[in-house]
Amino acid sequence: MDDAGRHPRRLRLSLMRDIALASAGLIACLGTYVLVGWTVALSLTGSRVLPSAEFVGTREYRRLFANVRWWTAVENLALYCLCVIGTCIVAGYLLAILVDRSRGWQGFYRTIFMLPMSMSFVVTGVVWQWLLNPALGIQHAVRELGWVDFRFDWLVRGDRAIYTLIIATIWQHTGLCMAMMLAGMQNVDANVWRLARIDAVPVWRVYAQVITPMLRPIFFTAAVVLFSMSVKSFDLVATLTGGGPGFSSDLPGRFVVDMIGRQDLGMAAAAATILLCTVCGALVPCLYLELRRYRSR
Amino acid sequence: MRIHRVVLHVILCAAAGVFLFPLLVAVLTSIKPLGEIRDGSIFGLPQAPTLAAWSKAWASACIGTRCTGISAGFASSLSIVLPAVFGSCILGAITGFALSLKRSRPADLLLLTLIVSLFVPAQVILYPLIVVERELTIYGTRTGVIVADVIWSLPFVTLLFRNFFLSLPREIVAAASIDGAGFFTILFRVLLPLSVPAYAVALALQFTFLWNEFLFGLMLSAADKQPMTVMLNVLAGPEFGTLEYNVNMAAAMEAAVPTIAVYLLAGRLLARSISGRLSNG
């Protein structure tokens, strides 16, 4: 296809390709990058109910950094990321090993573990809100069973509400990690297992010393995916806790939307810009790996 | 050896139980009368199972000021999701195919652009998007949500198709183009029969993502055109939650049924797409 210019029909292929690329580029630029730039620009103005063109430098950022609610949301996000990424990867990996060993039953178990993933965060939020309901949910049921001072009222406790989001997220996303790692394990060369059997290496050592290092890129991808989901997360906070009690379980992703709703555009834009920078932080190593893989093709 | 397998399955079944527990409780709650819920335990089996909550959630529960149940949201969701799914898949297939042809500097640049935009949080573009849609007078309409969904899904669907087309033998496109086939003939005639799994995965994933989508539906649609997720949140969410837990659970399950059905139908294919083995199986 290198001599496209000389051949009218090949020209048609490459011309249409260029048109397709140009339109996609236009959509991506207008639909994402121009809007992103707009928000960043807005964060440097003193906009409130309506956007204004008055340039105020970093004033909105200083207001944001002086806001207690914002810092609560940021601390929550750090805790949320740590717990969700750690637990999903470890639990997903252990489940993947078990499912991998369960010859013949892999499809059955995988289907069950990935089932929560197919549902909306809104459904998850509504269902877990009911389970965690202090008056009628798990707490009540366990007390009925005879453990009278059992306490599981995290949904209404300011210092614990963030953990309800963590639990629900882990429930929903462990299946994804499991599936990614299971896929990695099944791509492992069958000779690894054959050799291990010949040398009588115990199964757990093959997993610990051969498979785990081979899956390192998958651990990395899973962490990046979970991190970017956590930074973006809005749906679950909005439906499960609504950020409450008070603002104790707020996350930055909801803070931004809330500020747009409260018509404090300058602060919303500043917070959104910080979100963007946070995701970009995770993006750089990811892009680097992707580019390296792309070059080697 | 035997005992190992028993232990393995016991652990796996326990884990499966933990994963299914919330859904089981939700379904049980949805078929109990309200009195049984107030007096009993969430673990308890229903004494007098009834589908009354399901029909109330579907047709007559009050959401905001309208008492039409969640079925209005179902219709809204369908009319948003179906065009958006087909639109994004066709656009993604075209762009992905274009990117899978010869490499060039602009193509590399577009690829990078798309990968980066995969990571941009929707919150960042939300307000400008509202302003633009207001200017275009599509704010508050289903078209507005569809447009936002299609644009926002473009990077993901494009990368999915690009990776798939790259995994096909290059000779197919080369041979077809020597025979005089143009861009769209190759994409929709020559490659389509080979790409059925890729299209199926793209359709299934996009249907799931867009059906479950919440933020755009919440911020871009007028009160009478809200998709199902938004209506469910109004019905059962923390701020307006009524105390009819069985109706809430029934509504949640009704909102979840379409995506669960798609998942059960396409699960095997989706699992294969995660391992990147769509083309050779």
Side-chain angles (χ1 to χ4, degrees), chain A:
Chain A
M1 270 175 277
D2 284 317
D3 52 350
R6 275 188 283 148
H7 207 293
R9 277 180 179 141
R10 289 189 191 177
L11 177 71
R12 219 172 52 179
L13 180 63
S14 74
L15 179 70
M16 272 319 297
R17 181 199 66 163
D18 291 343
I19 293 176
L21 291 179
S23 2
L26 199 67
I27 294 174
C29 281
L30 290 180
T32 307
Y33 289 89
V34 170
L35 302 185
V36 167
W38 190 333
T39 295
V40 174
L42 211 57
S43 74
L44 300 171
T45 67
S47 304
R48 288 291 168 271
V49 181
L50 291 171
S52 95
E54 178 209 359
F55 178 79
V56 296
T58 59
R59 194 184 78 193
E60 295 303 318
Y61 289 92
R62 277 179 277 136
R63 273 182 65 221
L64 179 69
F65 293 149
N67 188 319
V68 183
R69 260 193 73 188
W70 168 253
W71 287 114
T72 311
V74 170
E75 278 167 25
N76 281 342
L77 180 64
L79 183 69
Y80 180 87
C81 281
L82 208 70
C83 296
V84 167
I85 296 176
T87 315
C88 280
I89 288 183
V90 172
Y93 183 58
L94 293 178
L95 281 179
I97 292 179
L98 293 175
V99 175
D100 192 36
R101 298 309 299 165
S102 76
R103 271 160 279 153
W105 288 81
Q106 289 174 348
F108 173 73
Y109 287 119
R110 192 185 51 209
T111 305
I112 292 179
F113 293 138
M114 284 174 71
L115 187 62
M117 257 177 62
S118 68
M119 291 182 310
S120 163
F121 261 128
V122 182
V123 174
T124 305
V126 170
V127 168
W128 278 91
Q129 203 186 12
W130 166 235
L131 289 174
L132 297 168
N133 182 315
L136 292 167
I138 294 177
Q139 170 173 294
H140 174 72
V142 173
R143 284 183 184 175
E144 291 266 291
L145 291 176
W147 185 356
V148 227
D149 43 347
F150 177 75
R151 201 164 166 222
F152 193 47
D153 53 355
W154 291 3
L155 200 57
V156 292
R157 274 172 65 184
D159 59 333
R160 287 280 188 276
I162 180 70
Y163 290 100
T164 63
L165 298 176
I166 292 172
I167 293 172
T169 311
I170 289 171
W171 178 70
Q172 189 148 30
H173 285 328
T174 301
L176 176 67
C177 291
M178 188 275 308
M180 288 168 79
M181 291 172 197
L182 186 62
M185 287 174 189
Q186 292 176 341
N187 283 343
V188 166
D189 194 337
N191 286 326
V192 169
W193 287 108
R194 225 165 277 151
L195 283 174
R197 204 172 308 142
I198 293 170
D199 292 344
V201 182
V203 171
W204 68 268
R205 280 194 58 191
V206 180
Y207 279 110
Q209 295 180 338
V210 183
I211 311 255
T212 307
M214 285 172 100
L215 293 188
R216 204 174 294 151
I218 298 183
F219 288 113
F220 181 78
T221 313
V224 170
V225 168
L226 289 172
F227 177 75
S228 109
M229 277 181 185
S230 306
V231 175
K232 294 172 183 178
S233 72
F234 165 78
D235 308 9
L236 187 67
V237 202
T239 50
L240 179 55
T241 66
F247 301 119
S248 58
S249 65
D250 211 357
L251 286 179
R254 203 193 78 100
F255 179 90
V256 173
V257 180
D258 200 39
M259 281 299 147
I260 295 176
R262 284 163 193 257
Q263 311 199 307
D264 192 343
L265 284 184
M267 185 125 91
T273 309
I274 304 278
L275 275 197
L276 185 68
C277 297
T278 316
V279 195
C280 287
L283 186 61
V284 172
C286 203
L287 269 186
Y288 173 74
L289 282 186
E290 182 74 16
L291 278 181
R292 216 172 52 175
R293 218 174 57 193
Y294 188 47
R295 290 239 169 81
S296 64
R297 188 169 268 148

Side-chain angles (χ1 to χ4, degrees), chain A residues 101-103 105, chain B residues 1-10:
Chain A
R101 298 309 299 165
S102 76
R103 271 160 279 153
W105 288 81
Chain B
M1 221 39 204
R2 230 192 148 71
I3 190 89
H4 273 144
R5 290 194 67 72
V6 172
V7 172
L8 181 78
H9 281 283
V10 167

Side-chain angles (χ1 to χ4, degrees), chain B residues 2-267:
Chain B
R2 230 192 148 71
I3 190 89
H4 273 144
R5 290 194 67 72
V6 172
V7 172
L8 181 78
H9 281 283
V10 167
I11 299 175
L12 276 170
C13 283
V18 171
F19 272 76
L20 290 179
F21 167 75
L23 288 178
L24 224 59
V25 169
V27 171
L28 283 183
T29 305
S30 73
I31 55 172
K32 283 181 195 171
L34 207 51
E36 254 182 63
I37 294 174
R38 292 238 171 78
D39 301 332
S41 141
I42 51 165
F43 301 148
L45 291 174
Q47 304 301 312
T50 161
L51 283 175
W54 281 68
S55 66
K56 181 168 186 195
W58 181 253
S60 64
C62 292
I63 296 162
T65 53
R66 291 189 308 152
C67 294
T68 54
I70 204 157
S71 53
F74 186 86
S76 243
S77 274
L78 268 190
S79 66
I80 290 169
V81 169
L82 293 183
V85 166
F86 286 110
S88 62
C89 285
I90 289 173
L91 209 57
I94 294 173
T95 317
F97 178 54
L99 281 175
S100 75
L101 295 171
K102 207 177 53 147
R103 277 181 61 182
S104 65
R105 195 161 277 276
D108 284 357
L109 190 69
L110 178 64
L111 184 65
L112 185 73
T113 311
L114 291 176
I115 294 177
V116 172
S117 57
L118 263 184
F119 287 83
V120 176
Q123 289 93 336
V124 178
I125 60 142
L126 193 56
Y127 180 73
L129 188 65
I130 294 174
V131 175
V132 170
E133 296 217 334
R134 250 190 217 129
E135 289 299 312
L136 297 173
T137 67
I138 54 171
Y139 176 71
T141 66
R142 288 184 189 128
T143 318
V145 185
I146 294 171
V147 168
D149 280 345
V150 170
I151 292 178
W152 207 237
S153 336
L154 180 68
F156 175 77
V157 189
T158 299
L159 291 176
L160 194 144
F161 275 107
R162 172 188 167 268
N163 291 342
F164 174 79
F165 288 135
L166 278 179
S167 71
L168 295 176
R170 317 215 69 179
E171 290 74 24
I172 300 176
V173 174
S177 94
I178 287 170
D179 286 346
F183 184 88
F184 288 108
T185 316
I186 297 180
L187 178 57
F188 292 124
R189 290 263 175 86
V190 181
L191 292 183
L192 190 64
L194 301 167
S195 321
V196 173
Y199 281 95
V201 164
L203 289 172
L205 282 179
Q206 278 304 99
F207 180 82
T208 307
F209 290 157
L210 298 183
W211 185 273
N212 292 342
E213 205 281 326
F214 180 61
L215 184 60
F216 288 153
L218 179 73
M219 301 298 279
L220 297 176
S221 50
D224 59 334
K225 297 189 181 66
Q226 285 169 337
M228 206 163 186
T229 45
V230 179
M231 291 193 98
L232 173 62
N233 184 43
V234 179
L235 177 72
E239 279 136 46
F240 312 94
T242 55
L243 295 172
E244 287 187 291
Y245 300 109
N246 49 358
V247 176
N248 292 353
M249 287 307 115
M253 291 302 104
E254 283 165 1
V257 162
T259 52
I260 290 180
V262 165
Y263 168 70
L264 291 179
L265 283 176

